[in-house]
Structures are given as C-alpha cells and as structure tokens.
Amino acid sequence: MARATALCAAGMLAALTLGPIVAVLVRAGGPGAVSAADLAALRFTIVQAALSATFSCALAVPVARALARRRFVGRGALVALLGAPFILPVIVAVMGLIALFGQAGLVNGALAALGLPRIDIYGLHGVVIAHVFFNLPLAVRILLQGWLDLPAERFRLAASLRLTPWATFTQLEWPLLRRLLPGAFAVIFVICLTSFAVALTLGGGPRATTVELAIYQAMRFDFDLSRAATLALIQLALALGAGWVALRLSRGAGFGTGLDRLPLRWDGQGRAARLSDAAWIALAGAFLLLPLGLVVLRGAPGLALLGADTWRAAGHSLAVALASTALCLAWALPLARPRGALLSLAAIAISPLVLGTGLFLILRPFVNPFAMALPVTALVNALMALPFALRILTPAAAATRADYARLAATLRMTPAAWLRLVMLPRLARPMGFATGLTAALAMGDLGVIALFADPQRATLPLQIYGLMGSYQMQAASGAALLLLILSFGLFVLFDRGGRIRAAA
C-alpha cells in the first residue's frame, strides 16, 4: 500500500512537471526562434548569476571560517539567523535593500555626506547585491557545516606539529573548500538563473533582463509561447550543465572520522586574526539585519495607509500559502525516500512561469483559466517547495523505517496505523519545519500570479509591486511589513507546532 501510494505521488509529480511543458510546446507548435533581445537576456542572466555566485562564495569563506573558530555570546542566534533569507519574501528583501542602498537610502546618504559618488541599486549592481543578500547565508551555512565536520583530531595534530596558519589552511581548510565550493557555486548559480522578482523590481530596463523575465514578457505581453518554451529549455539546459560541472569539480576525499569532539582551534589566536574574524562577522550580521530593520522602521507608518485591496490581497496570500502547504505535505510524506528526493529536483530547474502557463492551457477547455489563478499558483508553489520539504523529511523518515519497519510488520500494523502511531509522531519536528518553510515561501512568491491574476485576485507580493509601480512607496512599505509579519508568523506557528507535538 505504501509503495503504491509512493508510486502514485511520483507519477503525479512527473505528470505535473512534464505535462505543462509538453502542453506549452504543443500549443506553440514546437520550439521557436531566439531573438537578439533573448540572446542579450541570456548573456545578462549568465553574467549576473556568475557574479552573484562568485561574490556569495568568496564572501562566505571568511565569514564561515570566523564562525567556525570563534565562540561568543549570541553565536547560535546569529547562525540561526542565517536561515532567514530562505523564508524572507523576495519583495520584502528588495524593499529593505532599496531603503539601504537606494537613492534616498542610508548608504547613499553617507556617501553623499562624504562627497563620494552614489551607488545605483538598479541594473546589474542591484540584481547582484540582492542575490548576494539571499545566497551569502546559504553559502555560509554550507561551508560552516563542512568546517564543523572536520575532526578535532586534525587540528590537534596540526597544533602538535606547530604548523603555521598558512600551512594549516593549505593542509586542512583548502581541501575542504576545494570539495565544497563548486557545489555551493552551482546551487547559487542555478537559483540566480531562475531569478524573476529581483530582476523585475531591480532590473532597471531592457539591458538588465533575465531569461525568466524574458519568459514572462513573452507570455504576458506577446503571448509567444514558442519563444517562452525555447527560453525555458535553454534555462533548464544551463541549470543541468552547471550541476554537471559542479559534480565533476567537487570530487575529493574527506578527512575521515574522529571521536566527535568539539573541533577546538589552535590557529588564529593572534590579535590580528581575532579582529579580522570579528570584522567579518559584524559585516555579515549588519548586511543581514539592516535591511530587515529598515523594513520594520519604514513600514510601521505605512500600515495605517493600507486599503481594502491590500487586505484582500493578504487574504489571498494566506489562502494560497495554506493550500500550498497542505498539497506539499501530502506529496512529501509518501515521497520521503532517497529516490523521491532525487525526482523532485526537476521541479526547481524548470521555469514556474512555463509550468503555470502549461497548467492554464490544460485547464482552458474546461474552466476559465483566470478564475483558477489562485489554485494554480498554490499548486505550482507546492511543487517548487517540494524539493526543500523532501530534503528535510527524508532523513527522519528513512531512520524511522529502519528502526521500526520490522516491528510494525511483526505486529501486522495497517498502513493507517503505521502512519498515525509511528511515522507522524517521529516526523513532527521536521514536518513542522518543512510546513513552516513551505508556507513562508508560498506567502512571498511573485511568480505565476504575476501572469494571470486580475486586481480582484492579486496576492500580497503582487499588490506590493503594483503599489511600487504607482509610486505609493509608503503604502508599499506598510504592505511589505505586513507580508514580513505574516510570513514569519506562519513559519513560527508551524515550526513551534511541530516542536510541541514532538514533545508531547
């Protein structure tokens, strides 16, 4: 029964991933020609993704190294805060970055006071800054985990041999970076390839158009499905190529096992090293906290300016987030196996705009597609969040099967009893985290809904973008703060619920 359920869920995942793409290609009559503007968008996409991944990984190295070898009050909270960009709505982060780096932002105000030239947040600069804001914490977490996994005995041996700091770096830390950095670079590169909301808000014109934004323009304004499908296939090929290159470059042996002791560091104890580590940690913390603080400060007065349309859009976003969470969880539970996690990776390499358009084409003979804007958005958001949910649930589910499957078979437990008495209680904590993450991501998504929603069905991110487009910046700041509160509120609610159930 469990295997049949898993196969059914896998079949639905494959159909929802490939079916819409096939529908778009059939409706378009096959792949189309690529224009000069599309080639320019492709070049800009590759350049900004490469720059964003390079800066994110390069800056993550000293920050992760500093966090790995320093112990201080609040370190755990700061490391936990590095997960905030995963649940931060993109449009909220953009508002915070504009408040910090925009023409009237704090940074440009300080530069003007010093007589220095201003920073332009729009165009390539803004897109790269926004992507570094989102992906620097991801790179830090990847590298920090690798540093913490180094056996403590290796550092003890380096200290007994009186290795210099440079020798310690070349013999211990550089092999670690050589193994981890290609994978981190590839993940960030693929995330930046599919950038939509950042390019839509901070692109600043045709010269700063990404492939995902070109797909949106082809569908929304030209209804050129052939060109959109071609661009989606190119984007998918780039993502797969980046993954293949990372797989080739990430080879390398590890450092073996140790006694699971805390990796005490004897290197970097000089005053210069301590000051350098403190500076890197302070800069990273400020880069993450200042935009969020500015969103709160500038958004609080704007809450009083929110109209009925904004509150209705907030209700739509809540409904979409809850529906996406339920769908994602229903998918993830039967697919929480290693093969299911591998199958779900295809969902994040395909344009959500093409997926949404394909679903609308499939539904068009039966219902009004525009009336289905919110349900289709919920479905696509659940599909896009599935890989993250499976990465959270699969290890715990595999451990539960290994520990209790034989006992369940001996007791002849039914599938329903297995799920209720064994699986769900032991998945409570990871399930709470996965559902909170899915709800927060769906709450802040600005993707499919931007193609098909009318003002009566707009979600809160789309409403914020509309307010920004009409230069109602104070109201947009208030709506951004509302979105931030709702997103973090959903995450905390589901995550805390999982912890309570686990403790019961």
Side-chain angles (χ1 to χ4, degrees), residues 226-254:
S226 179
R227 184 162 65 94
T230 302
L231 291 173
L233 292 175
I234 293 174
Q235 183 172 276
L236 177 60
L238 285 173
L240 295 177
W244 180 82
V245 171
L247 183 64
R248 298 286 295 178
L249 295 178
S250 297
R251 295 178 178 179

Side-chain angles (χ1 to χ4, degrees), residues 167 203 217 240 285 407 431 457 473:
Q217 292 169 346
L240 295 177
L407 178 61
M431 235 173 21
R457 297 182 180 88
M473 299 306 296

Side-chain angles (χ1 to χ4, degrees), residues 11-89:
M12 290 179 60
L13 175 61
L16 286 171
T17 302
L18 300 177
I21 298 177
V22 173
V24 172
L25 287 173
V26 171
R27 176 65 175 79
V34 178
S35 65
D38 295 331
L39 292 177
L42 179 60
R43 286 193 297 270
F44 177 82
T45 300
I46 295 174
V47 169
Q48 63 85 15
L51 288 175
S52 300
T54 299
F55 284 123
S56 297
C57 292
L59 294 174
V61 171
V63 176
R65 191 184 191 213
L67 288 171
R69 64 184 187 180
R70 302 297 170 200
R71 297 294 182 269
F72 53 89
V73 177
R75 178 182 178 276
L78 180 59
V79 173
L81 182 64
L82 294 180
F86 294 107
I87 63 172
L88 186 66

Side-chain angles (χ1 to χ4, degrees), residues 169-241:
F169 176 79
T170 57
Q171 297 301 316
L172 289 179
E173 297 174 317
W174 174 243
L176 170 75
L177 295 175
R178 188 173 56 192
R179 189 173 71 251
L180 295 181
L181 278 177
F185 182 94
V187 169
I188 296 172
F189 183 83
V190 172
I191 291 174
C192 296
L193 274 182
T194 58
S195 173
F196 174 70
V198 170
L200 183 66
T201 310
L202 298 178
R207 290 186 298 177
T209 297
T210 61
V211 172
E212 191 74 12
L213 191 54
I215 293 173
Y216 167 73
Q217 292 169 346
M219 292 180 172
R220 178 73 174 180
F221 301 109
D222 304 330
F223 202 69
D224 190 348
L225 297 182
S226 179
R227 184 162 65 94
T230 302
L231 291 173
L233 292 175
I234 293 174
Q235 183 172 276
L236 177 60
L238 285 173
L240 295 177

